[in-house]
Amino acid sequence: MTDDLPPAAPPLAGPSLAAKPAKPGFPLPPLVDRLTDTHGYPRLESADDQPWRGNTDSWVVFLPGHGKGNGETADVAVILPELVRVLSPYLKPAVAGPAAEQALLARTGMMSLPALVFLRGDAVLGSIPRVRDWTDYLERIAELLISPGIAPGAPASRLQ
């Protein structure tokens, strides 16, 4: 008996159906931990950690870009305490852990990371992605926090 079957077809090109191993994430710079360890900023670990909800305080949440390895993360971690110092007591800071970061990204839409997200009550006031010039930070934050009806009583002179 002869074998009249055609030869087997080569495997199809394209992505493998086998599960791919997860890419190793990059650790955050130590300066991010300094925000919580030294400056005492709360670390928001879960998607339910939302201290801005139900109050009138303005919050800035640092989304460092967990696992992304972005060089600007360290720069924003240095800039944030200076912004908080200048804007004290009008701005409360926090640092997003991985789950909180994903929840805020889902709520605000995808953005470049690292980013600062500004919130009050149930509202997302806006965000500032990546590293900016100092005057850009102050102008953008002034737009977000001191717009009519947003932060009555917050002195504009603190942002100039």
Side-chain angles (χ1 to χ4, degrees), residues 16-30:
S16 169
L17 297 178
K20 293 181 182 179
K23 289 182 184 178
F26 293 97
L28 292 176

mmCIF file with all atom_site columns, all heavy atoms in Angstrom, residues 16-30:
data_model
loop_
_atom_site.group_PDB
_atom_site.id
_atom_site.type_symbol
_atom_site.label_atom_id
_atom_site.label_alt_id
_atom_site.label_comp_id
_atom_site.label_asym_id
_atom_site.label_entity_id
_atom_site.label_seq_id
_atom_site.pdbx_PDB_ins_code
_atom_site.Cartn_x
_atom_site.Cartn_y
_atom_site.Cartn_z
_atom_site.occupancy
_atom_site.B_iso_or_equiv
_atom_site.pdbx_formal_charge
_atom_site.auth_seq_id
_atom_site.auth_comp_id
_atom_site.auth_asym_id
_atom_site.auth_atom_id
_atom_site.pdbx_PDB_model_num
ATOM 1   N N   . SER A 1 16 ? 1.668  33.279 18.056 1.00 0.00 ? 16 SER A N   1
ATOM 2   C CA  . SER A 1 16 ? 1.527  31.955 18.648 1.00 0.00 ? 16 SER A CA  1
ATOM 3   C C   . SER A 1 16 ? 0.289  31.927 19.532 1.00 0.00 ? 16 SER A C   1
ATOM 4   O O   . SER A 1 16 ? -0.052 32.904 20.178 1.00 0.00 ? 16 SER A O   1
ATOM 5   C CB  . SER A 1 16 ? 2.774  31.652 19.479 1.00 0.00 ? 16 SER A CB  1
ATOM 6   O OG  . SER A 1 16 ? 2.565  30.502 20.248 1.00 0.00 ? 16 SER A OG  1
ATOM 7   N N   . LEU A 1 17 ? -0.371 30.799 19.532 1.00 0.00 ? 17 LEU A N   1
ATOM 8   C CA  . LEU A 1 17 ? -1.542 30.651 20.387 1.00 0.00 ? 17 LEU A CA  1
ATOM 9   C C   . LEU A 1 17 ? -1.149 30.286 21.804 1.00 0.00 ? 17 LEU A C   1
ATOM 10  O O   . LEU A 1 17 ? -1.958 30.333 22.710 1.00 0.00 ? 17 LEU A O   1
ATOM 11  C CB  . LEU A 1 17 ? -2.478 29.585 19.812 1.00 0.00 ? 17 LEU A CB  1
ATOM 12  C CG  . LEU A 1 17 ? -3.057 29.903 18.441 1.00 0.00 ? 17 LEU A CG  1
ATOM 13  C CD1 . LEU A 1 17 ? -3.925 28.741 17.969 1.00 0.00 ? 17 LEU A CD1 1
ATOM 14  C CD2 . LEU A 1 17 ? -3.865 31.183 18.474 1.00 0.00 ? 17 LEU A CD2 1
ATOM 15  N N   . ALA A 1 18 ? 0.104  29.908 21.986 1.00 0.00 ? 18 ALA A N   1
ATOM 16  C CA  . ALA A 1 18 ? 0.577  29.571 23.330 1.00 0.00 ? 18 ALA A CA  1
ATOM 17  C C   . ALA A 1 18 ? 0.659  30.846 24.165 1.00 0.00 ? 18 ALA A C   1
ATOM 18  O O   . ALA A 1 18 ? 0.929  31.925 23.651 1.00 0.00 ? 18 ALA A O   1
ATOM 19  C CB  . ALA A 1 18 ? 1.947  28.904 23.244 1.00 0.00 ? 18 ALA A CB  1
ATOM 20  N N   . ALA A 1 19 ? 0.429  30.710 25.435 1.00 0.00 ? 19 ALA A N   1
ATOM 21  C CA  . ALA A 1 19 ? 0.501  31.856 26.336 1.00 0.00 ? 19 ALA A CA  1
ATOM 22  C C   . ALA A 1 19 ? 1.929  32.365 26.380 1.00 0.00 ? 19 ALA A C   1
ATOM 23  O O   . ALA A 1 19 ? 2.874  31.599 26.525 1.00 0.00 ? 19 ALA A O   1
ATOM 24  C CB  . ALA A 1 19 ? 0.035  31.463 27.727 1.00 0.00 ? 19 ALA A CB  1
ATOM 25  N N   . LYS A 1 20 ? 2.061  33.673 26.247 1.00 0.00 ? 20 LYS A N   1
ATOM 26  C CA  . LYS A 1 20 ? 3.377  34.285 26.312 1.00 0.00 ? 20 LYS A CA  1
ATOM 27  C C   . LYS A 1 20 ? 3.672  34.649 27.751 1.00 0.00 ? 20 LYS A C   1
ATOM 28  O O   . LYS A 1 20 ? 2.781  35.067 28.473 1.00 0.00 ? 20 LYS A O   1
ATOM 29  C CB  . LYS A 1 20 ? 3.415  35.551 25.456 1.00 0.00 ? 20 LYS A CB  1
ATOM 30  C CG  . LYS A 1 20 ? 3.281  35.266 23.984 1.00 0.00 ? 20 LYS A CG  1
ATOM 31  C CD  . LYS A 1 20 ? 3.347  36.548 23.189 1.00 0.00 ? 20 LYS A CD  1
ATOM 32  C CE  . LYS A 1 20 ? 3.160  36.280 21.718 1.00 0.00 ? 20 LYS A CE  1
ATOM 33  N NZ  . LYS A 1 20 ? 3.193  37.490 20.931 1.00 0.00 ? 20 LYS A NZ  1
ATOM 34  N N   . PRO A 1 21 ? 4.917  34.504 28.161 1.00 0.00 ? 21 PRO A N   1
ATOM 35  C CA  . PRO A 1 21 ? 5.237  34.911 29.526 1.00 0.00 ? 21 PRO A CA  1
ATOM 36  C C   . PRO A 1 21 ? 5.096  36.422 29.657 1.00 0.00 ? 21 PRO A C   1
ATOM 37  O O   . PRO A 1 21 ? 5.327  37.173 28.706 1.00 0.00 ? 21 PRO A O   1
ATOM 38  C CB  . PRO A 1 21 ? 6.699  34.465 29.704 1.00 0.00 ? 21 PRO A CB  1
ATOM 39  C CG  . PRO A 1 21 ? 7.226  34.276 28.326 1.00 0.00 ? 21 PRO A CG  1
ATOM 40  C CD  . PRO A 1 21 ? 6.050  33.968 27.440 1.00 0.00 ? 21 PRO A CD  1
ATOM 41  N N   . ALA A 1 22 ? 4.685  36.859 30.816 1.00 0.00 ? 22 ALA A N   1
ATOM 42  C CA  . ALA A 1 22 ? 4.515  38.290 31.062 1.00 0.00 ? 22 ALA A CA  1
ATOM 43  C C   . ALA A 1 22 ? 5.872  38.977 30.989 1.00 0.00 ? 22 ALA A C   1
ATOM 44  O O   . ALA A 1 22 ? 6.890  38.429 31.406 1.00 0.00 ? 22 ALA A O   1
ATOM 45  C CB  . ALA A 1 22 ? 3.885  38.512 32.427 1.00 0.00 ? 22 ALA A CB  1
ATOM 46  N N   . LYS A 1 23 ? 5.861  40.185 30.442 1.00 0.00 ? 23 LYS A N   1
ATOM 47  C CA  . LYS A 1 23 ? 7.088  40.967 30.405 1.00 0.00 ? 23 LYS A CA  1
ATOM 48  C C   . LYS A 1 23 ? 7.442  41.383 31.821 1.00 0.00 ? 23 LYS A C   1
ATOM 49  O O   . LYS A 1 23 ? 6.561  41.765 32.588 1.00 0.00 ? 23 LYS A O   1
ATOM 50  C CB  . LYS A 1 23 ? 6.878  42.225 29.565 1.00 0.00 ? 23 LYS A CB  1
ATOM 51  C CG  . LYS A 1 23 ? 6.752  41.986 28.097 1.00 0.00 ? 23 LYS A CG  1
ATOM 52  C CD  . LYS A 1 23 ? 6.610  43.318 27.380 1.00 0.00 ? 23 LYS A CD  1
ATOM 53  C CE  . LYS A 1 23 ? 6.377  43.137 25.908 1.00 0.00 ? 23 LYS A CE  1
ATOM 54  N NZ  . LYS A 1 23 ? 6.189  44.426 25.235 1.00 0.00 ? 23 LYS A NZ  1
ATOM 55  N N   . PRO A 1 24 ? 8.716  41.341 32.131 1.00 0.00 ? 24 PRO A N   1
ATOM 56  C CA  . PRO A 1 24 ? 9.078  41.791 33.478 1.00 0.00 ? 24 PRO A CA  1
ATOM 57  C C   . PRO A 1 24 ? 8.878  43.298 33.566 1.00 0.00 ? 24 PRO A C   1
ATOM 58  O O   . PRO A 1 24 ? 9.225  44.034 32.651 1.00 0.00 ? 24 PRO A O   1
ATOM 59  C CB  . PRO A 1 24 ? 10.559 41.410 33.605 1.00 0.00 ? 24 PRO A CB  1
ATOM 60  C CG  . PRO A 1 24 ? 11.047 41.292 32.203 1.00 0.00 ? 24 PRO A CG  1
ATOM 61  C CD  . PRO A 1 24 ? 9.859  40.882 31.373 1.00 0.00 ? 24 PRO A CD  1
ATOM 62  N N   . GLY A 1 25 ? 8.279  43.750 34.647 1.00 0.00 ? 25 GLY A N   1
ATOM 63  C CA  . GLY A 1 25 ? 8.064  45.176 34.841 1.00 0.00 ? 25 GLY A CA  1
ATOM 64  C C   . GLY A 1 25 ? 9.318  45.833 35.384 1.00 0.00 ? 25 GLY A C   1
ATOM 65  O O   . GLY A 1 25 ? 10.156 45.189 36.006 1.00 0.00 ? 25 GLY A O   1
ATOM 66  N N   . PHE A 1 26 ? 9.441  47.093 35.118 1.00 0.00 ? 26 PHE A N   1
ATOM 67  C CA  . PHE A 1 26 ? 10.569 47.853 35.635 1.00 0.00 ? 26 PHE A CA  1
ATOM 68  C C   . PHE A 1 26 ? 10.193 48.399 37.004 1.00 0.00 ? 26 PHE A C   1
ATOM 69  O O   . PHE A 1 26 ? 9.071  48.868 37.200 1.00 0.00 ? 26 PHE A O   1
ATOM 70  C CB  . PHE A 1 26 ? 10.903 49.013 34.692 1.00 0.00 ? 26 PHE A CB  1
ATOM 71  C CG  . PHE A 1 26 ? 11.428 48.569 33.366 1.00 0.00 ? 26 PHE A CG  1
ATOM 72  C CD1 . PHE A 1 26 ? 10.586 48.461 32.275 1.00 0.00 ? 26 PHE A CD1 1
ATOM 73  C CD2 . PHE A 1 26 ? 12.767 48.266 33.212 1.00 0.00 ? 26 PHE A CD2 1
ATOM 74  C CE1 . PHE A 1 26 ? 11.065 48.052 31.044 1.00 0.00 ? 26 PHE A CE1 1
ATOM 75  C CE2 . PHE A 1 26 ? 13.259 47.852 31.979 1.00 0.00 ? 26 PHE A CE2 1
ATOM 76  C CZ  . PHE A 1 26 ? 12.409 47.744 30.894 1.00 0.00 ? 26 PHE A CZ  1
ATOM 77  N N   . PRO A 1 27 ? 11.109 48.368 37.942 1.00 0.00 ? 27 PRO A N   1
ATOM 78  C CA  . PRO A 1 27 ? 10.799 48.918 39.262 1.00 0.00 ? 27 PRO A CA  1
ATOM 79  C C   . PRO A 1 27 ? 10.720 50.443 39.191 1.00 0.00 ? 27 PRO A C   1
ATOM 80  O O   . PRO A 1 27 ? 11.333 51.076 38.324 1.00 0.00 ? 27 PRO A O   1
ATOM 81  C CB  . PRO A 1 27 ? 11.979 48.475 40.127 1.00 0.00 ? 27 PRO A CB  1
ATOM 82  C CG  . PRO A 1 27 ? 13.096 48.269 39.157 1.00 0.00 ? 27 PRO A CG  1
ATOM 83  C CD  . PRO A 1 27 ? 12.460 47.826 37.865 1.00 0.00 ? 27 PRO A CD  1
ATOM 84  N N   . LEU A 1 28 ? 9.959  51.010 40.111 1.00 0.00 ? 28 LEU A N   1
ATOM 85  C CA  . LEU A 1 28 ? 9.872  52.466 40.195 1.00 0.00 ? 28 LEU A CA  1
ATOM 86  C C   . LEU A 1 28 ? 11.150 53.011 40.830 1.00 0.00 ? 28 LEU A C   1
ATOM 87  O O   . LEU A 1 28 ? 11.778 52.331 41.646 1.00 0.00 ? 28 LEU A O   1
ATOM 88  C CB  . LEU A 1 28 ? 8.672  52.876 41.037 1.00 0.00 ? 28 LEU A CB  1
ATOM 89  C CG  . LEU A 1 28 ? 7.309  52.586 40.438 1.00 0.00 ? 28 LEU A CG  1
ATOM 90  C CD1 . LEU A 1 28 ? 6.218  52.946 41.433 1.00 0.00 ? 28 LEU A CD1 1
ATOM 91  C CD2 . LEU A 1 28 ? 7.098  53.321 39.126 1.00 0.00 ? 28 LEU A CD2 1
ATOM 92  N N   . PRO A 1 29 ? 11.519 54.231 40.476 1.00 0.00 ? 29 PRO A N   1
ATOM 93  C CA  . PRO A 1 29 ? 12.699 54.829 41.116 1.00 0.00 ? 29 PRO A CA  1
ATOM 94  C C   . PRO A 1 29 ? 12.464 54.991 42.620 1.00 0.00 ? 29 PRO A C   1
ATOM 95  O O   . PRO A 1 29 ? 11.333 55.214 43.055 1.00 0.00 ? 29 PRO A O   1
ATOM 96  C CB  . PRO A 1 29 ? 12.823 56.202 40.442 1.00 0.00 ? 29 PRO A CB  1
ATOM 97  C CG  . PRO A 1 29 ? 11.915 56.185 39.274 1.00 0.00 ? 29 PRO A CG  1
ATOM 98  C CD  . PRO A 1 29 ? 10.918 55.100 39.478 1.00 0.00 ? 29 PRO A CD  1
ATOM 99  N N   . PRO A 1 30 ? 13.516 54.918 43.418 1.00 0.00 ? 30 PRO A N   1
ATOM 100 C CA  . PRO A 1 30 ? 13.373 55.093 44.871 1.00 0.00 ? 30 PRO A CA  1
ATOM 101 C C   . PRO A 1 30 ? 12.745 56.433 45.261 1.00 0.00 ? 30 PRO A C   1
ATOM 102 O O   . PRO A 1 30 ? 12.153 56.551 46.327 1.00 0.00 ? 30 PRO A O   1
ATOM 103 C CB  . PRO A 1 30 ? 14.809 55.003 45.396 1.00 0.00 ? 30 PRO A CB  1
ATOM 104 C CG  . PRO A 1 30 ? 15.564 54.278 44.336 1.00 0.00 ? 30 PRO A CG  1
ATOM 105 C CD  . PRO A 1 30 ? 14.881 54.581 43.036 1.00 0.00 ? 30 PRO A CD  1
#
